[in-house]
Amino acid sequence: QLQLVESGGGLVQPGGSLKLSCAASRFALDNYAIGWFRQAPGKEREGVSCASSSGGRTNYAASVEGRFTISRDNAANTVYLHMNSLKPEDTAVYYCAAAIRPHCYGTTWYRKDGMDYWGKGTLVTVSS
């Protein structure tokens, strides 16, 4: 079974940058679509970004578009989320998730119920 482990979270000041990593083990990531989700206290888990298995399709939530970039290095079996111009509203636990079936090409890429495997999350706190 695919296992995912997020890392790179921490405390950052508003306007700062952070890079999150999602490392896979047991199986290769190149056959999975990968999504990044986040959940703030008291809020629903929401889709942030998605990358198809080939990297040919990427999606971003309107709240992060232009500031976040998803990328994947299949050779390293790792997916990244580059976060720039961070805002306090970005504070949340960030999760990576993998989908067996094509996901990012659909109109529901932001939905968490399409994902098959989840990491345990990494906390990002944006505060001055």
Side-chain angles (χ1 to χ4, degrees):
Q1 184 170 323
L2 179 68
Q3 294 183 347
L4 304 171
V5 178
E6 303 94 336
S7 63
L11 176 64
V12 63
Q13 292 184 323
S17 299
L18 208 59
K19 184 177 77 173
L20 305 183
S21 298
C22 176
S25 62
R26 297 179 62 83
F27 294 95
L29 274 179
D30 58 358
N31 288 321
Y32 299 87
I34 298 295
W36 282 97
F37 297 78
R38 68 184 183 186
Q39 187 167 19
K43 295 185 179 296
E44 297 290 327
R45 189 172 301 185
E46 62 178 2
V48 175
S49 185
C50 188
S52 62
S53 60
S54 67
R57 177 62 174 263
T58 58
N59 294 308
Y60 299 93
S63 59
V64 307
E65 190 167 14
R67 299 188 297 117
F68 290 11
T69 302
I70 189 170
S71 64
R72 59 191 304 158
D73 185 345
N74 286 338
N77 222 24
T78 303
V79 177
Y80 304 96
L81 185 67
H82 302 261
M83 304 184 295
N84 299 313
S85 302
L86 284 163
K87 305 174 181 179
E89 305 94 279
D90 296 318
T91 296
V93 176
Y94 284 73
Y95 302 86
C96 69
I100 297 174
R101 300 175 179 83
H103 182 81
C104 304
Y105 291 96
T107 58
T108 58
W109 65 267
Y110 56 88
R111 295 178 62 91
K112 60 181 183 295
D113 57 342
M115 314 309 293
D116 300 294
Y117 305 100
W118 291 85
K120 293 183 178 180
T122 185
L123 177 63
V124 173
T125 302
V126 184
S127 177
S128 59

